[in-house]
Amino acid sequence: MVARIHSLGGYIYEYKKSVANPEVFWAQIAENFHWRKRFTKVLEWNFSNPDIKWFIDGKLNITENIFEKNMYTHADQLAIIWEPNDPNEEHIQLTYMQLFREVNKFANTLKRLNVRKGDRVAIYMPMVPELTIAMLACARIGAVHSVVFAGFSAQSLSERINDAQAKVLLTADGGFRGNKITPLKQIADEALESSPCVETVVVLKRTKTEVNMEVGRDIWWHTAINGQSDECPAEVMDAEDELFILYTSGSTGKPKGIVHTVGGYMVFTAYTFKNVFQYNAGDVYFCTADIGWITGHSYIVYGPLLNGAQSVMFEGVPTWPDAGRFWDIVDKFNVNQFYTAPTAIRSLLAQGMEFVNGKKLTSLKVLGTVGEPINEEAWHWYHDHIGKSRCPIVDTWWQTETGGVMISPMAGITPTKPSFATMPLPGIQPVIVDNEGRELTGNSVEGNLCIRFPWPGMARTIWGDHERFRETYFGSFKNLYFTGDGAKRDEDGYYRILGRVDDVINVSGHRLGTAEIENAINAHPLVNESAVVGYPHEIKGQGIYAFVVCGELSTGGEEGIQKSIRIAVEKIIGPFARPDIIQLVPGLPKTRSGKIMRRILRKVAEGDASNLGDITTLLDEDIVEKIIDGALVEVKR
Ligand code: PRX
């Protein structure tokens, strides 16, 4: 069992130890796991030509650490408590033993489908227990899973499948989300028209939506698992073998396949889960994220299960059948730790107290947030009305690339401050640098957030593009991992995350590259060029504002083109990337060298053009006035 810190003094002690001698610190934590062969060296690293290896020569399987290691104590303990979309449908509970059997069965199924160690398996599924089973089955046999969020379009799915060269695709006939059904198999079929690498598609029956099954390629899940043994020996993996790829957005158009490896990710997610949430045996923990994103990977699947936790998994959405759904689930299963995104909190807050009043919420001990900065109003509402002023809030800052939580309070231990992620976890060494890379020491400073020393859960590369990995994370500031976020360290040494300083935006907790959205808009036949920026949005955190230059308008006029651009973005990326505001402009503010001055567009989108700074380098200064005149938000001059 991973040790748990119990007091602020304990945190300070562990933190100092972790900085003074990181290798001894992490080795002690790693000793708690089951290694087929113990590692011979803890760490080798280089940030300039990035090469990071943890637990060198160690051999293990992460699923043995979830199952076999804990079977004496946990066999009959619940592992997954699954709440379906429709509250009238029966929920499902799986004990560790039951989950183990299902994982083995599916692992054997994958083997029979010719999946071998190192092969990539793409997963495009709704939030059902089979999704977790599929991921763990891959890990069991050493296949690399690549989960694609089920809100992505056919084109996005296809790009991700092709980049990873996945051999098998796991999907479902459809997915329930509130009162809607997403036709997943139909979308997958469209994706596969341009993804010839996929040899086999396994289709789970969930919504009973009519689907087309291609003979020789497609097989039903229930048919595939039929007759498979529920015992499957674990593949022995090297600590640095890949566990999964997860695509995330960057500042250029093409999504990045972030690669995490077995040993370090295991140690890091297990340690951070236990300490941040202060999980105790028997507690019920509920993370509302979708497994299609990193939060679901690390804190619905791996982190909790490595700790023998009882993890609630929810298929639906927070506002269906009504905005009290999360609280109903909390009461139904007596949830102790609840983890969600600020955007969900803001949208529930906006619906009013009628959906909270009457709920007990007495089981709650810890509340968490993740994915974007939480504003003070949302923090207080969450604290006062959900936590009834007795539950600490852990505002956890981290990223797909970091694998697990980096800066966060430990529940009940670290004194909190609204909208501050507070302090780094043991083993994490944040630094703030100015734009020239000079470290800003001491307190009350603000700048670019970097990390000075490796941690076990960090990404090792971008799939198929190590140079991009180097450039993106280690190319900006010498010998530092650059997060892409701005941060402030206040007078007490507390960290507050200020948001991205690059061209990445965070919309309802979904991370999107502005270039990615621009590419989708530019694919529209009537569009010449476009520029996308984020702007403050009351519920979503950031909204998407697109400035679009069109050659000519279609018959539908301005409205017609705005509508068809939205449809195009939906089709190319997915509905969650649909621009909130589309302003047709006569041109974009460009410098003489042809670079778009995004700072001006950001200001306009924020509704404040009173201080645009130096615009004399613009090719055409008049364009700024025209853009402000035509703005679709009120702009202060
Ligand atoms: O900008 C930061 C924001 O989300 C980004 C990472 O997005 P993604 O890789 O999708 O992972 C989200 C879930 C871990 C970060 O660069 N972010 C994440 N957590 C916080 C946050 N911003 C402020 N406060 C947070 N707690």
Side-chain angles (χ1 to χ4, degrees):
M1 279 286 159
V2 174
R4 189 154 66 82
I5 292 169
H6 292 276
S7 64
L8 190 57
Y11 160 70
I12 294 168
Y13 174 79
E14 289 293 314
Y15 189 78
K16 282 192 179 144
K17 195 168 91 180
S18 78
V19 174
N21 201 335
E23 297 176 32
V24 171
F25 172 80
W26 286 113
Q28 277 173 358
I29 295 168
E31 297 295 352
N32 294 291
F33 293 85
H34 171 64
W35 298 86
R36 287 286 193 100
K37 176 175 171 275
R38 194 191 180 277
F39 45 92
T40 54
K41 194 173 173 201
V42 183
L43 171 67
E44 276 175 14
W45 70 289
N46 177 352
F47 271 2
S48 56
N49 185 9
D51 185 20
I52 299 114
K53 293 194 185 80
W54 281 91
F55 311 119
I56 293 134
D57 294 330
K59 305 282 179 208
L60 75 158
N61 187 292
I62 197 167
T63 66
E64 281 192 337
N65 280 279
I66 292 174
F67 298 117
E68 281 96 327
K69 179 170 171 279
N70 299 321
M71 267 316 159
Y72 287 117
T73 47
H74 285 127
D76 299 324
Q77 171 102 29
L78 295 183
I80 297 179
I81 302 167
W82 176 74
E83 171 71 5
N85 179 59
D86 182 347
N88 296 319
E89 191 183 331
E90 202 60 35
H91 69 273
I92 291 175
Q93 306 192 134
L94 288 173
T95 64
Y96 275 83
M97 184 53 97
Q98 288 166 332
L99 178 63
F100 185 36
R101 293 207 175 106
E102 295 301 323
V103 167
N104 283 332
K105 237 184 185 176
F106 201 67
N108 284 324
T109 307
L110 290 173
K111 277 194 190 167
R112 197 183 63 93
L113 296 172
N114 209 20
V115 178
R116 301 281 170 262
K117 179 178 177 181
D119 286 346
R120 274 79 58 211
V121 174
I123 306 181
Y124 184 65
M125 290 181 64
M127 285 285 289
V128 290
E130 287 83 355
L131 168 53
T132 305
I133 291 167
M135 292 162 74
L136 297 177
C138 289
R140 186 83 181 163
I141 64 168
V144 181
H145 57 72
S146 169
V147 180
V148 180
F149 172 56
F152 274 114
S153 68
Q155 186 171 327
S156 292
L157 172 62
S158 171
E159 275 167 20
R160 285 159 178 73
I161 290 174
N162 293 346
D163 188 78
Q165 285 293 295
K167 188 166 172 182
V168 169
L169 172 65
L170 312 176
T171 188
D173 50 358
F176 291 118
R177 278 182 68 74
N179 55 10
K180 292 199 197 100
I181 290 181
T182 316
L184 296 174
K185 176 63 164 65
Q186 191 191 316
I187 299 170
D189 282 339
E190 199 187 322
L192 292 182
E193 283 172 21
S194 22
S195 294
C197 53
V198 171
E199 294 164 12
T200 310
V201 183
V202 185
V203 187
L204 181 78
K205 195 167 268 186
R206 172 68 187 122
T207 53
K208 305 201 170 71
T209 306
E210 186 114 359
V211 297
N212 158 56
M213 295 292 280
E214 196 174 300
V215 181
R217 187 194 70 184
D218 302 351
I219 175 168
W220 285 107
W221 192 288
H222 53 270
T223 312
I225 61 170
N226 197 12
Q228 293 297 331
S229 157
D230 59 12
E231 285 176 27
C232 175
E235 183 78 37
V236 179
M237 306 292 283
D238 188 272
E240 283 299 334
D241 279 338
E242 292 102 358
L243 175 63
F244 65 85
I245 307 171
L246 183 60
Y247 286 85
T248 189
S249 297
S251 47
T252 61
K254 192 171 175 278
K256 305 178 280 197
I258 299 298
V259 174
H260 284 287
T261 58
V262 180
Y265 179 82
M266 170 183 79
V267 170
F268 194 63
T269 52
Y271 177 77
T272 50
F273 172 76
K274 188 152 190 180
N275 281 287
V276 169
F277 295 101
Q278 290 288 304
Y279 185 85
N280 280 307
D283 283 347
V284 175
Y285 160 89
F286 175 21
C287 167
T288 71
D290 193 291
I291 291 179
W293 309 110
I294 191 68
T295 306
H297 280 59
S298 300
Y299 298 111
I300 295 179
V301 180
Y302 290 106
L305 297 181
L306 283 161
N307 280 289
Q310 314 190 84
S311 177
V312 176
M313 178 177 177
F314 173 42
E315 184 182 35
V317 297
T319 47
W320 193 82
D322 66 41
R325 189 67 194 279
F326 279 169
W327 322 131
D328 288 334
I329 298 174
V330 167
D331 282 351
K332 180 169 176 184
F333 301 116
N334 291 314
V335 168
N336 304 114
Q337 289 91 2
F338 177 77
Y339 192 28
T340 196
T343 188
I345 299 168
R346 286 189 298 264
S347 79
L348 298 178
L349 176 162
Q351 306 264 346
M353 285 301 291
E354 74 175 281
F355 299 102
V356 182
N357 293 337
K359 315 285 171 181
K360 295 206 304 281
L361 304 178
T362 44
S363 57
L364 287 172
K365 296 197 288 195
V366 175
L367 301 176
T369 75
V370 59
E372 33 165 344
I374 178 164
N375 51 311
E376 294 202 19
E377 187 194 2
W379 195 97
H380 285 293
W381 186 83
Y382 198 33
H383 181 261
D384 298 351
H385 298 298
I386 305 305
K388 313 290 182 199
S389 304
R390 61 178 165 73
C391 301
I393 294 181
V394 290
D395 176 351
T396 64
W397 172 83
W398 59 294
Q399 312 177 294
T400 306
E401 295 86 339
T402 69
V405 177
M406 303 285 281
I407 302 181
S408 167
M410 293 194 196
I413 292 176
T414 321
T416 57
K417 247 191 230 188
S419 78
F420 279 77
T422 74
M423 310 272 268
L425 295 186
I428 306 306
Q429 300 186 33
V431 281
I432 295 183
V433 300
D434 66 14
N435 288 342
E436 278 68 52
R438 284 183 295 251
E439 184 175 343
L440 304 174
T441 52
N443 290 342
S444 305
V445 292
E446 192 176 313
N448 302 297
L449 179 63
C450 295
I451 315 286
R452 192 203 309 275
F453 195 85
W455 62 99
M458 72 185 297
R460 301 298 195 260
T461 190
I462 290 175
W463 182 260
D465 199 347
H466 197 64
E467 173 50 24
R468 187 171 176 203
F469 182 66
R470 187 197 64 72
E471 195 197 317
T472 311
Y473 305 108
F474 304 94
S476 305
F477 306 111
K478 196 164 185 298
N479 282 330
L480 295 174
Y481 165 87
F482 177 41
T483 63
D485 279 317
K488 160 180 164 171
R489 193 168 45 230
D490 79 352
E491 58 286 358
D492 299 323
Y494 268 35
Y495 287 84
R496 177 182 195 155
I497 310 301
L498 302 170
R500 303 288 305 197
V501 295
D502 54 8
D503 292 323
V504 170
I505 54 178
N506 223 312
V507 182
S508 300
H510 298 323
R511 176 169 157 180
L512 285 159
T514 52
E516 207 177 339
I517 307 170
E518 287 161 11
N519 288 348
I521 295 176
N522 296 348
H524 189 286
L526 298 180
V527 170
N528 289 350
E529 58 177 343
S530 62
V532 166
V533 297
Y535 71 97
H537 187 287
E538 214 175 304
I539 305 283
K540 298 176 168 188
Q542 278 186 297
I544 303 174
Y545 197 127
F547 297 88
V548 179
V549 184
C550 288
E552 56 186 277
L553 294 184
S554 57
T555 42
E558 207 165 305
E559 238 172 66
I561 198 154
Q562 284 161 334
K563 192 165 166 217
S564 62
I565 287 173
R566 286 200 172 92
I567 293 171
V569 174
E570 229 177 87
K571 204 165 158 39
I572 293 176
I573 306 176
F576 60 96
R578 207 171 18 219
D580 298 277
I581 301 177
I582 299 176
Q583 182 184 347
L584 301 184
V585 292
L588 296 172
K590 287 190 184 169
T591 61
R592 281 176 238 282
S593 57
K595 217 170 156 277
I596 298 171
M597 247 196 216
R598 285 171 186 278
R599 148 176 87 74
I600 294 176
L601 299 176
R602 271 189 218 114
K603 285 266 181 198
V604 175
E606 281 165 17
D608 182 7
S610 59
N611 182 12
L612 289 180
D614 182 13
I615 57 169
T616 53
T617 55
L618 284 180
L619 192 61
D620 174 8
E621 283 181 40
D622 293 345
I623 204 74
V624 176
E625 277 306 308
K626 290 183 188 147
I627 291 175
I628 297 174
D629 283 345
L632 298 175
V633 290
E634 208 174 306
V635 183
K636 197 170 97 205
R637 290 182 193 251

